Amino acid sequence: MTLIPTFDGHNDTLVEFCDPADGEGRSFFERSESGHLDLPRAREGGLIGGIFAIFTPPASGSPERDREYGLTVTEDGYELKARSAVEPEYSRQFVDRVLDFAYDLERQAKGEIAPVRGYQDLERNLGEGVFSMVLHLEGVSAIQEDLGNLEEYYGKGIRSIGVVWSRPNVFGYGVPFRFPHSPDTGPGLTRAGQELVKGCNRLGIVIDLAHINEKGFWGVAELSDAPLVVSHSGVHAICASTRNLTDKQLDAVGESKGLMGIMFAPGMTREDGDRDGDVPISGIVRHIDYVAERIGIDHVALGSDFDGAQMPTELSDVTHLPRLIQALRDSGYDDASLEKITYGNWFRVLRETWKG
Ligand SMILES: [Zn+2]
């Protein structure tokens, strides 16, 4: 079977390597059995690159480092206690460390991987078989409220930002993790958040709407002149998590000619919201079908969340991407449609958003 190239919209692999609590003993250049993604396994699964998130973990010693901290099981789902903002200076230090790590990887890779600064890089890397790394801030706690260092981070290679992770910052409010629950969980963008949208439009930085609450989503939709991008989420009508998009939000993504990256995590795809991974891949296909039917095949893509969330057993790491592609094929997608889902739509949206 020939491998269909895949460009994935979201992983946490860089953070996994840089956070002392995780990633111990792994090298990006060596095949490992732990975690979800490294270069040898990416090659094996047909992954040509992706958007590499830089998420600032809660400071060491914070109870929020435990992902299940403040978990309440409810009659039909769960609620996690709201997460608190992280300290900007601590976030800047962490982000800078991850950026140094990413550029170290590039140096060690001897041409095998390259951070992407513009659309030409993506095309060239694909043609030459170089692995593409797009650098993304997942929550912009490192950005100053007056945007004083936004250009500096652009200069350091950041080409995509999520306004918030599932916690607040000076720009907006993330959704707390709840099921079943509407994504409408609090106030919208702050004044600084509105300026951030304009700043990103001006520089040509992707604004990622994963993790933002519903009012924040509409705030960006109203202001932004770029296609709306949701890098890793699911369909709320199928899995009623706060992290997933309502039909109205999906329609707005389609109308803006944007895209929705479907996440692989069972907790975001299963109808019952359970995180248990013993579920067939068809659960992910169902979300892709839904988005394709509702807003069109040009607006659905992949956003695995490798190394950031639990994966379904059948898709336990990146080497199993061909299983997902086969499941899509079995569901009726032809080669042209598959290529849109696996990389074409991401390439188009990045080309239309980036300046150069
Ligand atoms: Zn995330």
Side-chain angles (χ1 to χ4, degrees), residues 10 12 138 165 211 232 243 305:
H10 191 88
D12 280 317
E138 185 172 23
W165 183 70
H211 289 281
H232 63 300
R243 280 275 288 106
D305 211 4

Side-chain angles (χ1 to χ4, degrees), residues 41-348:
R41 282 186 289 175
R43 300 273 192 224
E44 209 177 308
L47 189 74
I48 57 165
I51 300 184
F52 281 68
I54 307 178
F55 159 78
T56 304
S60 65
S62 161
E64 293 182 19
R65 287 190 71 89
D66 174 2
R67 285 182 187 209
E68 307 229 322
Y69 169 69
L71 174 72
T72 308
V73 177
T74 59
E75 208 175 302
D76 50 358
Y78 61 87
E79 268 186 42
L80 277 182
K81 198 169 183 299
R83 272 24 185 171
S84 36
V86 292
E87 220 269 303
E89 189 48 43
Y90 154 72
S91 183
R92 280 191 275 282
Q93 284 172 14
F94 186 82
V95 167
D96 289 348
R97 189 145 60 83
V98 180
L99 284 170
D100 286 346
F101 177 81
Y103 285 110
D104 269 351
L105 280 187
E106 182 190 17
R107 275 187 288 275
Q108 294 164 38
K110 300 190 178 73
E112 268 208 274
I113 61 177
V116 171
R117 286 174 176 262
Y119 184 71
Q120 302 307 325
D121 297 342
L122 261 187
E123 285 263 319
R124 193 182 51 243
N125 289 350
L126 176 59
E128 295 175 358
V130 175
F131 187 80
S132 282
M133 205 173 255
V134 174
L135 295 170
H136 165 78
L137 290 181
E138 185 172 23
V140 288
S141 42
I143 302 291
Q144 290 158 349
E145 189 169 5
D146 65 0
L147 309 183
N149 59 356
L150 182 63
E151 271 185 59
E152 184 188 323
Y153 279 107
Y154 183 83
K156 288 176 177 175
I158 297 296
R159 290 295 178 272
S160 169
I161 61 123
V163 180
V164 282
W165 183 70
S166 285
R167 63 190 170 203
N169 61 26
V170 294
F171 303 101
Y173 301 85
V175 281
F177 296 97
R178 290 182 195 156
F179 180 97
H181 201 285
S182 148
D184 189 6
T185 57
L189 291 179
T190 63
R191 180 56 72 80
Q194 295 172 345
E195 292 304 316
L196 176 69
V197 173
K198 293 180 208 162
C200 288
N201 282 170
R202 185 169 44 81
L203 291 168
I205 298 175
V206 171
I207 303 165
D208 176 9
L209 295 161
H211 289 281
I212 201 165
N213 67 14
E214 190 173 352
K215 287 195 178 70
F217 175 98
W218 293 116
V220 174
E222 208 171 283
L223 280 173
S224 178
D225 59 21
L228 298 179
V229 167
V230 186
S231 67
H232 63 300
S233 289
V235 171
H236 197 273
I238 300 173
C239 168
S241 158
T242 45
R243 280 275 288 106
N244 288 344
L245 268 73
T246 65
D247 287 351
K248 239 181 109 185
Q249 289 177 297
L250 285 176
D251 293 347
V253 169
E255 279 156 27
S256 77
K257 310 223 179 320
L259 72 74
M260 165 82 182
I262 298 296
M263 209 173 149
F264 301 170
M268 298 301 148
T269 53
R270 285 176 62 135
E271 244 176 274
D272 61 5
D274 199 292
R275 275 174 297 169
D276 185 75
D278 191 17
V279 279
I281 279 180
S282 56
I284 301 167
V285 174
R286 208 176 144 206
H287 285 253
I288 293 170
D289 286 345
Y290 190 98
V291 177
E293 273 161 35
R294 185 158 185 109
I295 62 174
I297 188 74
D298 292 326
H299 308 293
V300 63
L302 305 179
S304 67
D305 211 4
F306 281 138
D307 284 327
Q310 196 192 330
M311 291 293 127
T313 318
E314 280 187 65
L315 206 56
S316 57
D317 70 10
V318 64
T319 60
H320 298 305
L321 278 176
R323 287 184 182 164
L324 174 61
I325 292 167
Q326 188 56 48
L328 287 165
R329 211 186 276 285
D330 295 344
S331 172
Y333 294 96
D334 60 15
D335 279 353
S337 300
L338 283 175
E339 284 179 9
K340 287 181 178 188
I341 298 170
T342 61
Y343 74 94
N345 290 336
W346 267 118
F347 272 39
R348 173 184 58 78

